[in-house]
Amino acid sequence: MTASRTARERVRAELTREITDIARRQLATEGAGGLSLRAVAREMGMVSSAIYRYFPSRDDLLTALIIDGYNALGESVERADAGCPQDDFPRRWLTTCHAVRDWAVAHPHEYALLYGSPVPGYQAPQDTIAARLRDVTVLGRILSDAWRAGAVRPPGTEPPGDLEPEAATFRQLMPEVPDSVIWAALSAWTSLYGWVNFEVFGQFNQTIENRPAAFDHVMRLAGATMGLAQ
């Protein structure tokens, strides 16, 4: 690789990063539906035709922002789990739940892009799937590790037989875990992301003031739903 090629690639990477940084700021003021390549180009002092060499369409820019968001959330969750004793499963669960909430509260507009209302006319491509699964892969690994260690008390209720095919995708995230625990995990995960959605989108305003403590308590309840001993 020549030095000039390396320099061009470095400049391209820097400009791409600047474009996405400006686009993230635009999310805060205009929302995902108002994202505009021309507006980003104007802020950069770039002719509008030039920006299309980096992102051929608004949807390509949205996809880049979505992948960046999922990766940032996933990295936060992975880092939180790595910092816990790996045999302390309730602590791993709580710590990773707090990592999800902390990232979302710190980046509400990026979280809204990931988990808010769909952007009209936009269909997320397959490229987003690997990044989208990073956080739940960690949550699934925690439960799988706990199950193998005998640290999960299965719930007393078995899922009905017609739900057996529905659990297939989640078995890949939680290998060896029985379906009764998988459905308990889905209930817990729904509690996690449902809480975060309520908080980020203002549904707890003038209702719950001490949200960190309330969140911690609810996530402990969710962990118990999955059968993790406290």
Side-chain angles (χ1 to χ4, degrees):
M1 181 178 294
T2 65
S4 60
R5 175 68 178 274
T6 302
R8 284 198 301 272
E9 291 179 347
R10 186 165 59 249
V11 169
R12 182 178 181 86
E14 291 172 355
L15 283 173
T16 299
R17 184 165 51 250
E18 185 177 354
I19 291 168
T20 54
D21 286 345
I22 291 172
R24 272 187 284 272
R25 293 199 297 270
Q26 200 177 101
L27 288 177
T29 58
E30 306 298 331
L35 189 65
S36 165
L37 282 170
R38 291 180 180 272
V40 173
R42 280 197 303 272
E43 185 168 339
M44 293 182 67
M46 176 188 291
V47 295
S48 57
S49 59
I51 201 169
Y52 292 102
R53 293 200 294 267
Y54 297 87
F55 295 98
S57 71
R58 181 210 66 162
D59 284 4
D60 290 301
L61 179 54
L62 272 174
T63 296
L65 294 175
I66 288 169
I67 291 173
D68 285 352
Y70 279 130
N71 278 328
L73 174 58
E75 287 171 11
S76 178
V77 173
E78 290 165 358
R79 188 165 52 248
D81 184 45
C84 293
Q86 294 300 287
D87 60 351
D88 189 341
F89 306 109
R91 181 174 171 184
R92 289 173 66 187
W93 162 252
L94 282 174
T95 301
T96 52
C97 287
H98 278 283
V100 172
R101 176 185 175 271
D102 291 348
W103 186 88
V105 170
H107 305 89
H109 305 294
E110 292 172 66
Y111 183 85
L113 179 62
L114 305 181
Y115 291 104
S117 300
V119 180
Y122 175 78
Q123 181 68 42
Q126 293 289 107
D127 296 356
T128 61
I129 292 177
R132 187 182 71 193
L133 292 176
R134 286 181 66 170
D135 55 342
V136 294
T137 295
V138 175
L139 300 178
R141 184 166 60 242
I142 292 169
L143 194 58
S144 292
D145 291 349
W147 177 258
R148 284 192 291 268
V152 177
R153 292 190 296 266
T157 304
E158 291 293 324
D162 57 355
L163 286 180
E164 194 274 338
E166 305 293 339
T169 298
F170 300 99
R171 291 190 196 104
Q172 300 175 41
L173 295 171
M174 295 171 272
E176 303 178 33
V177 174
D179 283 5
S180 61
V181 178
I182 286 176
W183 285 105
L186 290 177
S187 175
W189 295 3
T190 301
S191 180
L192 165 60
Y193 288 96
W195 175 288
V196 173
N197 275 25
F198 266 48
E199 183 167 358
V200 170
F201 301 134
Q203 300 303 313
F204 287 143
N205 291 350
Q206 300 179 336
T207 303
I208 297 176
E209 297 301 325
N210 190 352
R211 291 170 197 163
F215 175 79
D216 187 85
H217 178 63
V218 170
M219 291 306 102
R220 290 178 186 275
L221 295 176
T225 296
M226 292 190 294
L228 292 179
Q230 297 296 316

